[in-house]
């Protein structure tokens, strides 16, 4: 069995009782960064062996880990949130499915859901983009997103937030409504709402820190 286990994006209390039980019971935990995950496991007194599984080695290790899961239960975690959502995980799940390994993904923390609900923008339909291309194809992708007729979601670093908001305003219009959530489930959690123009001005005055989720209304909303 492969268990895909979400971990807290901020507050340690956001992990589920089931996740804690599984992390204690499996034979091995595959972690995006063993140093980060060691802090979580130590906090909850979990002593299961850890092994690295991240974006730089998942191409080489996924088949071997799927083969291992044929004979023992293993868990996959990322640094924060649900593995596979803008984090390593897809390749291992695919390899397990191909080999006939049962896969269970636990429900749990992921950053974009609370950001979407907090935004106050329509959430009956939405598009999750995740991280934009940093260079090649970025403008094309932003233009495509701006034409969607429903809410869309972008992950961004604080260092590129201002540039991304300005680029969104160029392709979608300064009056398009949006929200910027940062440090979700952490002490300094904050959500700013308004037009893209208003958000640009806000973050010029108060540069953002921490993990960022941008929610933008659709073209016809």
């Amino acid at each position: 069995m492969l268990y895909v286990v979400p971990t807290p994006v901020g507050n340690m209390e956001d992990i589920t009782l089931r996740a804690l039980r599984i992390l204690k019971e499996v034979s091995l935990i595959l972690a995006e960064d063993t140093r980060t995950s060691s802090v979580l496991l130590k906090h909850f007194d979990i002593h299961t062996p850890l092994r690295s599984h991240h974006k730089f080695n998942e191409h080489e290790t996924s088949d071997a880990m799927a083969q291992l899961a044929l004979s023992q239960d293993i868990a996959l975690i990322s640094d924060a949130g649900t593995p596979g959502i803008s984090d390593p995980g897809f390749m291992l799940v695919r390899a397990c499915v191909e080999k006939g390994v049962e896969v269970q993904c636990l429900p749990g923390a992921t950053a974009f859901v609370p950001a979407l609900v907090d935004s106050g923008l329509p959430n009956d339909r939405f598009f999750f983009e995740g991280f934009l291309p940093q260079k090649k194809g970025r403008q094309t992708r932003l233009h495509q997103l701006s034409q969607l007729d429903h809410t869309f979601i972008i992950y961004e670093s604080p260092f590129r937030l201002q540039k991304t908001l300005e680029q969104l305003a160029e392709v979608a219009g300064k009056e398009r409504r949006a929200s910027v959530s940062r440090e979700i489930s952490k002490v300094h959690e904050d959500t700013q709402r308004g037009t893209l123009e208003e958000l640009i001005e806000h973050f010029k005055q108060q540069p953002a820190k921490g993990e960022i989720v941008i929610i933008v209304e659709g073209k016809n909303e």
Side-chain angles (χ1 to χ4, degrees):
M1 175 83 77
L2 170 69
Y3 292 99
V4 181
V5 181
T7 54
V9 296
N11 194 312
M12 288 283 197
E13 294 178 356
D14 290 342
I15 199 165
T16 67
L17 295 174
R18 183 182 175 204
L20 293 175
R21 175 180 60 80
I22 287 172
L23 293 177
K24 290 177 180 178
E25 292 178 353
V26 294
S27 301
L28 177 67
I29 298 172
L30 302 179
E32 183 179 5
D33 187 325
T34 55
R35 295 165 299 180
T36 300
S37 296
S38 292
V39 175
L40 175 74
L41 300 185
K42 183 178 180 180
H43 180 82
F44 290 107
D45 195 29
I46 297 171
H47 304 285
T48 307
L50 276 173
R51 187 179 299 181
S52 293
H53 183 83
H54 46 71
K55 65 180 180 180
F56 300 109
N57 71 3
E58 62 178 336
H59 293 80
E60 292 77 29
T61 62
S62 290
D63 281 345
M65 292 301 99
Q67 187 67 36
L68 186 64
L70 285 168
S71 59
Q72 56 187 281
D73 292 341
I74 64 176
L76 173 67
I77 61 177
S78 62
D79 290 349
T82 301
I85 305 298
S86 292
D87 279 325
F90 160 69
M91 290 184 180
L92 177 58
V93 171
R94 180 178 62 183
C96 284
V97 170
E98 291 173 348
K99 292 182 183 297
V101 175
E102 187 175 352
V103 178
Q104 284 191 10
C105 181
L106 278 62
T110 191
F112 76 79
V113 173
L116 174 63
V117 175
D118 264 356
S119 71
L121 296 172
N123 56 25
D124 54 330
R125 291 193 306 144
F126 60 89
F127 181 84
F128 175 72
E129 172 68 12
F131 288 100
L132 291 162
Q134 291 189 28
K135 294 181 180 179
K136 186 178 179 181
R138 183 181 178 89
Q139 284 297 121
T140 299
R141 191 65 189 138
L142 282 165
H143 177 74
Q144 291 170 340
L145 290 170
S146 74
Q147 300 306 302
L148 294 174
D149 62 0
H150 47 272
T151 304
F152 59 93
I153 303 165
I154 295 171
Y155 281 174
E156 192 53 279
S157 81
F159 311 106
R160 289 191 298 269
L161 174 61
Q162 193 70 18
K163 176 183 176 181
T164 299
L165 290 174
E166 291 171 356
Q167 290 175 326
L168 281 166
E170 288 174 6
V171 297
K174 294 180 179 181
E175 297 305 310
R176 185 80 68 95
R177 293 183 301 157
S179 74
V180 175
S181 294
R182 64 179 187 85
E183 296 289 78
I184 291 170
S185 191
K186 298 179 182 178
V187 173
H188 301 293
E189 179 176 353
D190 176 67
T191 295
Q192 297 294 323
R193 307 170 186 86
T195 64
L196 287 169
E197 183 175 32
E198 290 168 342
L199 291 171
I200 289 168
E201 289 305 312
H202 173 81
F203 288 107
K204 279 182 180 178
Q205 302 300 320
Q206 300 181 44
K209 297 180 180 179
E211 301 295 325
I212 302 290
V213 185
I214 306 172
I215 312 292
V216 186
E217 74 173 339
K219 184 175 182 180
N220 300 319
E221 287 174 355

